Amino acid sequence: MHSKKMKDKPLDERPYEKCLHHGAGHLSDAELLAVIIRSGSRDESAVELAGRILYHSGAANGLLSLHHVSLPELQRIPGIGKVKAVQLKCVAELSRRMAKASSAGTTAFTDPKQIADFFMEDMRHKEREELRVVFFNTKNQYIHDIILFQGTVNSSVVSPREIFLEALRYQAVSIVLLHNHPSGDCTPSREDILTTRRIRGAGDLIGISLIDHIIIGDHSYISLKERGVL
């Protein structure tokens, strides 16, 4: 028996009408996605399709799971074509950016573990190395972060000038570097250490402190500050 289409359901069971009458806060994760993707398939409603997407992505993490599912993976789900897959990835990225923006100026970090935990899910799934710079104010509160470089992180290609121009732009007084090791092994390389010391020296000259360089592995991290490199 085919699932009941959305138009055949009572008004109070349709996500769009439910949002109009009660607000988006009353919608489940699947219902929110259903409003975005708008239609299901011949055999299931948009809500049922959305629920299946969440289950495929990893229901334990809800909407956050979408951030770690690639476009090709989404398109392999029956009922999801290119347009719906792009919509879902944009929703995931928008959610991530909004969460980060809401943390600006209010989230304070006191140790490397807090910083590593904050960025772990963003970085541990990457297939390429990525160098991220995090900016802090005088109270060690998060201001902003940027991805400065993608590729093998070494002292010859990472530009301290770019890092500190961005730091000045955001009026940061200190920065933290993060980069991932796609292998999952976060042991620092010789180049990681050379890069760290080069950037620290440049920061010392202009009065912006490099307070740590954290390497992200698979559910693990290493702080070069804790290792005594800084």
Side-chain angles (χ1 to χ4, degrees), residues 8 13-14 21 30 34 38 42 55 93 112 117 120 129 170 193 196 199 216 218 225 230:
D8 298 324
E13 293 183 20
R14 302 181 198 174
H21 289 96
R38 298 181 63 184
R42 188 184 68 175
Y55 178 80
E93 180 60 20
D117 287 347
M120 181 66 69
E129 283 194 32
Y170 288 101
I193 293 171
T196 302
I199 293 171
I216 300 290
D218 187 11
K225 179 182 179 181
L230 288 171

Side-chain angles (χ1 to χ4, degrees), residues 81-93:
K82 182 165 63 175
V83 172
K84 282 188 171 68
V86 169
Q87 289 172 330
L88 291 167
K89 290 301 291 181
C90 288
V91 166
E93 180 60 20

Side-chain angles (χ1 to χ4, degrees), residues 52 56 69-82 85:
R52 194 155 51 79
H56 176 88
V69 184
S70 69
L71 279 170
E73 287 173 324
L74 284 170
Q75 290 180 78
R76 285 195 288 269
I77 300 173
I80 298 297
K82 182 165 63 175

